Each structure stands twice: as structure tokens, then as C-alpha cells.
Amino acid sequence: METAMDDLFTDALRRWLTDQCPPDRVRAIEAGESHASLWESLEDSGFADALLPEERGGAGLSLQQVFPLLELCGAHALPLPLGETLLARAALAVARIEPPRGSVTLGEAVATADGGVRCDRASGGRVADWVLTCIDDSALLLPVREAQVRGAVFPLDAALTWSAATTCGAARFDAALDIRALLACVHAAQIAGALMNVCNRTLQYANDRVQFGRPIGKFQAIQHQLAVMAEHVIAARMAAQIGCRGDPTQLDRSRVAVAKARASEAALEVAAAAHAIHGAIGFTAEFDLQLYTRRLHAWRQAAGAESYWHDVLGAELLRQPDGPAFDLPRRLTEFH
Amino acid sequence: MNALGSLAPTAIPPDDEALRAPVRAFLAEAVAALPPQVRARSWSGYDPAFSRELGRRGWLGLTLPPQYGGAGRSPFARYVLVEELLNAGAPVGSHWIADRQSGPLILKYGTDEQKRHYLPPICRGESYFCIGMSEPNSGSDLASVRTRAVRTDRGWTLSGQKIWTTYAHGCHYMIALVRTSGDAQDRHQGLSQVIVDLSLPGVTVRPIRDQSGDSHFCEVFFDDVALEPEALIGEEGRGWEQVTAELAFERSGPERLYSSIVLFDTWLAFLRSGVETPSAVRLAGKIVAALAPLRALSVAVTGKLARGESPIVEAALVKDLGTSLEQFIPAAIADDLASREGQSVPMELLLTLDYLTQVAPSFSLRGGTRDILRGMIARGLGLR
Ligand SMILES: Cc1cc2nc3c(=O)[nH]c(=O)nc-3n(C[C@H](O)[C@H](O)[C@H](O)COP(=O)(O)OP(=O)(O)OC[C@H]3O[C@@H](n4cnc5c(N)ncnc54)[C@H](O)[C@@H]3O)c2cc1C
């Protein structure tokens, strides 16, 4: 029954993305076109409430069941913070706060000297309506329309600052939300989706592109690069699924560390190999590959790249008593 | 979706997971006292007494049916057992091939008589097998084997040579891939598998020393060896299909992830003695981040085997990833240890590292080289 429900959701989101979010739409929104109608359509379809319990109007899916949704967002380069909204609404529901209308991204933020809040890199901050953050075990829901907005490197992201007055008026609740881990969980799953897309595109290209009288995919050097790419794709996808387990508001930091570290490593390798195999055309703005490979880099660099999460895992491992080290990866990969 | 999306997180059933505690308790007694440079040999360590003890406990031939002395359990149970054995660094080399692939092969292709003859002693840890595939001029190009079995009125006459045969000098039988008709140009046609009793007249086994100083693999010569008619296993002429199926079992198991794990454990114990550094912590985390998804992938492949599928491409993906990690571990630990100043590193750790540094190249050769695996993956991805 549950399985049927998440399959329905996944199929519905795939259809919606194929219809509503083709590469041209992604490009247009990246270039500044309004995202409002796209979000309205997404909201109307109910995807953003998938993690909420049924009595609160949601679909009651578990985190592992929304993995395919997060993966699809990455595979289609959805220019909206749907994954972040899913997790943010789950956190708000636990705090018994009615989620506001609109999208909610997650932002790592600091308090400013004058009592406001600064978020230097809100993922999807330019296209989000709200930012959920957490400073000193106090969660804050801040409206983007009242922020002072500066650009960030990735066109959909933004650097946001809220004044003391806005911060005072914002919804606030006690919760030790691990914003970095939540974001890392979402980004790892999105990376997994984008990796699969990039790998499939590159396979197709290798079979189509002819040089020296045959498809370049017939050359052993290209075949082996693609084999290595495929290895990164399956490892990162499994890692991202390891991250998407358990209670979405109480993520297991070690699992998320595996997810984000391995996915980030793969993002780098796969993006590089995809561009190498595509030749010059893959590096043009007009060709779609860049929509996904630029995101691979952006998501790798968001919420801790591989070394940050390696440090987390290494510290966890060294805290264990002497004994088989594989007990840690084994515990992290026990699926019930 | 292609093979890339087909490996889903897979739970080991609780009944099978329950095997872990008794196995671990036994190993704590049986092998924990061995020094790490010995435990690091693991599936290259040969110890018949240990194999018989496992057999006595019912831990060999775990997946074979009880009527042949097996435990009739699932591949997951064997996964748990093997994972514990390898992580403890238990000397499993004597029974390893028989338990992993010869037993299942005989069960799948053997006649009832062959099963009754060969399987019970395998399950008791008394009968050891080796793999006779490679020859001096047939390595990766396995279909070019020249060792030949010719039919006679009393069975077969075997002549030719195998090489790199792991523990031929300590095994009772070899399952050899041989030509029974045609010649090397016929490639996959005309190949068959025969079970060779290595005590027969005309068989000569010569161990070869590897660069670490160990002698685990051998040259094996067949000088007109007379085989019984029932030496043939499976169908005459179907040797290639049989070998391919056998390799899926050979490539996906935990032995493709854990070859350097005793070194990793020993290094971590050293770090915990008060010499951890930020770069060492980071390296430890990097290894765990690679190992966790790999372990999950390898369990997922086991799930496919348990469902009767033959996940050849998936097994190749996992083996290539796994052996890369196994080779990375000694290289990276050497860098960590050799980049310290004024600290004495325990000799046992250095010997373990030295052993693994020397054997690491073989990880991506045995069971099919890295290039051959990548070629198989490419074909699986639709590139040929
Ligand atoms: C420790 C160990 C234990 C072993 N145990 C056994 C055993 O028990 N039984 C057994 O039968 N064999 C065993 N082997 C042999 C093993 O299967 C072979 O080493 C392996 O198949 C490669 O063959 P080769 O060594 O002749 O190398 P070659 O095939 O000569 O390869 C040499 C190099 O050329 C590359 N190469 C070859 N063909 C291609 C191609 N088409 N495209 C690209 N590159 C290519 C290879 O990848 C490799 O890098 C063992 C090997 C080792 C190291």
C-alpha cells in the first residue's frame, strides 16, 4: 500500500517535470523569468506535502520514500527548492507550526551584530518564498520578500540579510535543527539524480557522435571512462539512499555524511568525464549538459563538500572502541 | 532503467543476520590472537584445521542443500559469515574456492552421483578445490585455452598446462576449463569443464612464489592424465556459459571490499593510541564514505543472486569499485605513516602495510582484470 503510494507520487512528479520543467524553462528561470506559476502548479499537485502526515493533508511518506522525488528534482534540474520545502514542512509540522504558503528553502545563517540574520548562501534563495534557519537551537522562519537580497554565485541562490525588526517578528520555535545535514541530505539525492541524467546523456552522445568513421563509444578509452562514470553513479546513488533514512527531522549525521561525501566526490568526477567525452559542444550554453554539470558543482559545494563530511565520519570512527572498523559502515547500511 | 538504477538498498533478513554473533564469538577465540600481518592474508591464508572446524560447526556449504551436507541457507547467511571471516582475517584459503564457487557449480550442473560424491566432504571442510582457467597464453583471453581433454573408450585423456592456480598444491581437485573439440579459433565453442583429481598420475603441481614471498599459486601440468568419464561436469561444449555464470559468484562477494581491512583496523588502533591527526581523521572518513555504499551495493548484488538472477554487469561494477578501494587503503595509509616525524610506528603495523603494498596489484588482476571488467560494464551499458 505504502509502496504503491510512493510509486504513484514518483510517476506523477516525473510526468509533471517532463511537461512543466523542460530545459528551456530551467534556462528561462535561471535567466530571471518569474518562477511563480511553476511553483503554483507544483503546490497544487501536492508534492510539497509528501512528508506530512495524512491528517495534516500530506501523503505520509517516509524519507526513504521521498528519495525518488528528490532524485527526480536533480535529474530535471528543477529550478525550485522542492526538496528543501519537503523537509522544512516536515520540521514545521513537528513544531506544530502551520507551514506558510509558498516554498521554503533551508539556509545556514548567522546572527548579525545588530540583531538581524545573515544567510550568505541560501540554496534556491532567489526563487524561494521563505528561509528556515536555526541559530543556537532556535529555529526561525524568515520571509524572503523582506530580506535584503544580493546575488550569489549560482544564479538561483542568493545572499540574504534580514533586519533586527524582521527577525523579531518572524515565527520562531525551539528546535535543534541541523540545517547543514538537512541540506546535505537533499543535495546528495539531487546529485544522484543529476549524475544519472549526465551519465545517460553521455552514453547516448558516445553512441551518436562519429569520428574516424565510427561512434566514439566504440573506442576502448571512451568505454572505460564511461564504465568508471557508471561506477560513480551507482555508488553515489546508493550513498544518497543511505542518507535518506530515518526521521527527516532527526537525521543520522553519519548517514548523511556518507551520502554527501560520496555524492560530492562523484559529482566532480562525473562532470569532468562528461565534458571530456562531449568535446567542445558540451561546453556551450546552448547544449543542455551544462544545466546539470553546473548544478553538480554547485551542489557539491553546498552544505559541506566531501572533506567536511569525511571529517565528520572520521571523528565518528575514531570515537569507536578498537574492533572491526566495518561495524560503522555496516551499521550505516542496515536497512529495515 | 539499466543496471545503474537496479541496485536498491537491501536488508539482510534477521535470521541470517543472527549468524553474525556466534561467528564473531568463535573468531574472537580462534584468530584474534594472530598478529595482523598474518590475519591480513585472510583468503590467501591456508589452514585445513581451521576449515574443518568451520565444517564441524556447519558453516561451510551454507547455501547447499542439507541432503548433501549443506545448511540450506540463503546467500545472505553466507554473506554475513564471510563478512565476519574476512574482517577478522581468518585463514579461509583452503576451503575458499570449494565453498564459494565449486560447490555451487557442482550443485547446479552436476549429476546426482557427482553431487553425492563431492559435496558432503566440501561441507565438512575436508575437500578443497582450485580454479583451472588461466594458462600461460590465455589470461584475459580465456576462450583461447589450449588444454585439451580427448575422449577415449575409458573416459578422457587430459593434456596441457594451467597457471596461477591458487592453492593447487593444497587442493584435492581442480575444475578446469578445457577444449573438448575444435581448436582455439573456435573460441567459445567446444569448451567444457572437467573435475581433475590432482592426485592422478601425470599431474605435476609446482608452486610459484609471489613478490611478497608467499607461494599460493601454482603451475599445473597435465601429461596425458587419464580421467574417468564422469570427470565431465555439466554439458560437453557448454563450458563457456558455465564459467561465465561461475564468475558472477566470484566477483560480487565481500572478498572484493575487505582485502585491506585488517590494515585499516590496525592503523585505526594506532591512531587511537594518541597519535591521530586531522589529516588521518579525514582519511579514515574518506574510507568509510567509500566503504558504506560499496557494502550496500554488494549486499544488493547478493539479493539479486538470492532471487536467482545473474547480475553480471552489477558484479563487475562492484568489483571494480571494491578493488580500487582495496588498493587505495594501503597507498593512503603509507602516505599517512610515512609523512609523520619523530613517531615510532609499531612493527606489526608496518609489516601489515608492507604485505598489502606488495599484494595490492593482484586485487585488480585476480577474477578478471580491471580492463576486462570495464569492457564488460561498457557492453552492459550498450556501448558495443
Ligand atoms: C593472486 C592471483 C590469483 C589467481 N588465481 C587464479 C586461479 O586460481 N585460477 C586461475 O585460473 N587464474 C588465477 N589467476 C589468474 C588471473 O585470472 C589472471 O591473472 C587474469 O585473468 C589476467 O591474465 P594475465 O595475468 O595473463 O594478464 P593479461 O591477460 O596478459 O593482461 C595483461 C594486461 O593487459 C590488459 N589487457 C588484456 N586484454 C585486454 C583487452 N582486451 N583490452 C584492454 N586491456 C587488456 C589486462 O587488463 C592487463 O592489464 C590469479 C591471478 C592472481 C594475480
Side-chain angles (χ1 to χ4, degrees), chain B residues 65-84:
Chain B
Q67 67 187 110
Y68 301 117
R73 300 195 60 167
S74 82
F76 288 116
R78 184 169 183 277
Y79 193 95
V80 169
L81 172 78
V82 166
E83 194 172 43
E84 289 298 319

Side-chain angles (χ1 to χ4, degrees), chain B residues 115-197:
Chain B
K115 292 183 214 176
R116 274 187 282 121
H117 180 71
Y118 292 111
L119 297 181
I122 289 181
C123 297
R124 290 195 299 270
E126 293 167 359
S127 175
Y128 311 139
F129 280 67
C130 57
I131 307 168
M133 296 190 192
S134 306
E135 297 182 3
N137 290 311
S138 302
S140 299
D141 184 10
L142 186 57
S144 68
V145 290
R146 282 156 206 263
T147 297
R148 182 176 287 274
V150 178
R151 235 185 228 290
T152 63
D153 353 329
R154 274 168 297 125
W156 305 86
T157 301
L158 181 68
S159 52
Q161 182 192 349
K162 293 292 173 183
I163 195 169
W164 317 126
T165 323
T166 299
Y167 281 124
H169 54 324
C171 284
H172 306 93
Y173 301 101
M174 170 194 284
I175 298 188
L177 179 70
V178 299
R179 190 153 280 293
T180 43
S181 68
D183 56 32
Q185 273 77 53
D186 293 308
R187 307 288 301 165
H188 302 173
Q189 262 82 55
L191 298 175
S192 305
Q193 285 186 299
V194 289
I195 303 183
V196 185
D197 178 342

Side-chain angles (χ1 to χ4, degrees), chain A residues 220 224, chain B residues 131-134 138-141 163-166 216-217 362 365-372:
Chain A
Q220 195 180 50
H224 287 199
Chain B
I131 307 168
M133 296 190 192
S134 306
S138 302
S140 299
D141 184 10
I163 195 169
W164 317 126
T165 323
T166 299
H216 46 82
F217 51 24
S362 72
L365 297 173
R366 61 187 186 186
T369 72
R370 174 160 289 146
D371 300 307
I372 294 305

Side-chain angles (χ1 to χ4, degrees), chain A residues 99-273:
Chain A
R101 268 199 77 76
S103 62
V104 188
T105 192
L106 300 157
E108 296 181 84
V110 291
T112 58
D114 63 358
V117 169
R118 197 183 79 231
C119 174
D120 284 331
R121 181 187 177 182
S123 161
R126 218 203 71 210
V127 287
D129 298 309
W130 301 85
V131 174
L132 179 63
T133 187
C134 188
I135 299 172
D136 298 333
D137 290 355
S138 174
L140 271 168
L141 184 62
L142 294 155
V144 173
R145 64 173 188 283
E146 288 177 37
Q148 187 200 349
V149 182
R150 282 166 298 125
V153 173
F154 191 72
L156 300 178
D157 296 348
L160 304 171
T161 313
W162 289 272
S163 67
T166 313
T167 306
C168 267
R172 184 185 288 269
F173 55 100
D174 289 340
L177 292 182
D178 187 344
I179 299 287
R180 173 161 281 210
L182 290 165
L183 266 174
C185 171
V186 171
H187 287 323
Q190 290 171 327
I191 287 174
L195 289 173
M196 187 73 84
N197 181 333
V198 165
C199 184
N200 285 330
R201 276 169 192 277
T202 309
L203 280 169
Q204 186 66 50
Y205 187 79
N207 277 328
D208 293 346
R209 170 72 175 167
V210 174
Q211 285 294 282
F212 298 97
R214 50 187 177 148
I216 57 170
K218 298 273 182 216
F219 296 114
Q220 195 180 50
I222 300 284
Q223 292 183 345
H224 287 199
Q225 289 183 61
L226 282 162
V228 173
M229 190 189 279
E231 290 169 13
H232 281 294
V233 172
I234 64 161
R237 184 166 191 269
M238 184 57 89
Q241 286 174 281
I242 290 169
C244 284
R245 306 297 288 203
D247 179 348
T249 60
Q250 299 275 314
L251 291 175
D252 178 335
R253 236 178 175 249
S254 298
R255 287 189 170 209
V256 171
V258 167
K260 185 59 170 59
R262 189 62 187 87
S264 297
E265 285 181 335
L268 190 63
E269 299 294 333
V270 171

Side-chain angles (χ1 to χ4, degrees), chain B residues 54-349:
Chain B
L54 289 185
R56 213 181 55 70
R57 290 169 181 267
W59 290 340
L60 292 183
L62 219 50
T63 61
L64 300 179
Q67 67 187 110
Y68 301 117
R73 300 195 60 167
S74 82
F76 288 116
R78 184 169 183 277
Y79 193 95
V80 169
L81 172 78
V82 166
E83 194 172 43
E84 289 298 319
L85 290 168
L86 296 176
N87 275 278
V92 292
S94 28
H95 67 265
W96 185 251
I97 301 298
D99 180 72
R100 177 180 74 186
Q101 66 198 80
S102 312
L105 180 129
I106 292 167
L107 180 71
K108 186 160 177 199
Y109 299 109
T111 61
D112 195 49
E113 174 51 33
Q114 286 172 322
K115 292 183 214 176
R116 274 187 282 121
H117 180 71
Y118 292 111
L119 297 181
I122 289 181
C123 297
R124 290 195 299 270
E126 293 167 359
S127 175
Y128 311 139
F129 280 67
C130 57
I131 307 168
M133 296 190 192
S134 306
E135 297 182 3
N137 290 311
S138 302
S140 299
D141 184 10
L142 186 57
S144 68
V145 290
R146 282 156 206 263
T147 297
R148 182 176 287 274
V150 178
R151 235 185 228 290
T152 63
D153 353 329
R154 274 168 297 125
W156 305 86
T157 301
L158 181 68
S159 52
Q161 182 192 349
K162 293 292 173 183
I163 195 169
W164 317 126
T165 323
T166 299
Y167 281 124
H169 54 324
C171 284
H172 306 93
Y173 301 101
M174 170 194 284
I175 298 188
L177 179 70
V178 299
R179 190 153 280 293
T180 43
S181 68
D183 56 32
Q185 273 77 53
D186 293 308
R187 307 288 301 165
H188 302 173
Q189 262 82 55
L191 298 175
S192 305
Q193 285 186 299
V194 289
I195 303 183
V196 185
D197 178 342
L198 294 173
S199 67
L200 288 174
V203 177
T204 309
V205 178
R206 278 199 214 129
I208 304 170
R209 193 183 290 275
D210 77 13
Q211 62 175 348
S212 79
D214 287 358
S215 295
H216 46 82
F217 51 24
C218 302
E219 292 178 288
V220 184
F221 301 89
F222 305 114
D223 192 5
D224 290 336
V225 180
L227 301 179
E228 306 275 296
E230 44 280 358
L232 180 74
I233 173 92
E235 235 180 282
E236 184 179 342
R238 301 297 296 270
W240 187 257
E241 288 92 312
Q242 292 176 203
V243 156
T244 309
E246 191 181 340
L247 285 170
F249 278 91
E250 184 177 338
R251 286 187 176 137
S252 57
E255 69 267 32
R256 305 303 179 185
L257 321 182
Y258 294 127
S259 298
S260 297
I261 203 76
V262 171
L263 171 63
F264 188 43
D265 284 350
T266 311
W267 175 68
L268 288 167
F270 171 62
L271 296 183
R272 289 190 193 105
S273 72
V275 294
E276 88 175 46
T277 60
S279 66
V281 173
R282 182 167 288 181
L283 171 59
K286 183 179 172 71
I287 291 169
V288 175
L291 192 52
L294 251 169
R295 194 246 178 193
L297 288 167
S298 148
V299 174
V301 173
T302 302
K304 289 193 164 233
L305 290 172
R307 290 194 298 274
E309 297 174 35
S310 191
I312 292 171
V313 177
E314 292 87 336
L317 286 159
V318 173
K319 180 179 178 243
D320 193 27
L321 277 165
T323 55
S324 299
L325 177 63
E326 291 179 335
Q327 291 174 336
F328 172 76
I329 291 173
I333 288 178
D335 186 28
D336 175 71
L337 295 177
S339 300
R340 293 165 180 258
E341 264 186 310
Q343 264 175 19
S344 53
V345 178
M347 191 60 183
E348 286 192 340
L349 174 53

Side-chain angles (χ1 to χ4, degrees), chain A residues 232-314:
Chain A
H232 281 294
V233 172
I234 64 161
R237 184 166 191 269
M238 184 57 89
Q241 286 174 281
I242 290 169
C244 284
R245 306 297 288 203
D247 179 348
T249 60
Q250 299 275 314
L251 291 175
D252 178 335
R253 236 178 175 249
S254 298
R255 287 189 170 209
V256 171
V258 167
K260 185 59 170 59
R262 189 62 187 87
S264 297
E265 285 181 335
L268 190 63
E269 299 294 333
V270 171
H275 278 291
I277 292 171
H278 274 87
I281 189 89
F283 159 77
T284 59
E286 193 188 336
F287 201 80
D288 290 341
L289 181 66
Q290 54 91 358
L291 295 177
Y292 311 96
T293 54
R294 280 190 304 113
R295 277 171 174 74
L296 286 176
H297 288 290
W299 292 333
R300 168 179 177 242
Q301 292 170 30
E306 56 271 25
S307 289
Y308 173 84
W309 292 106
H310 289 157
D311 290 348
V312 169
L313 274 175

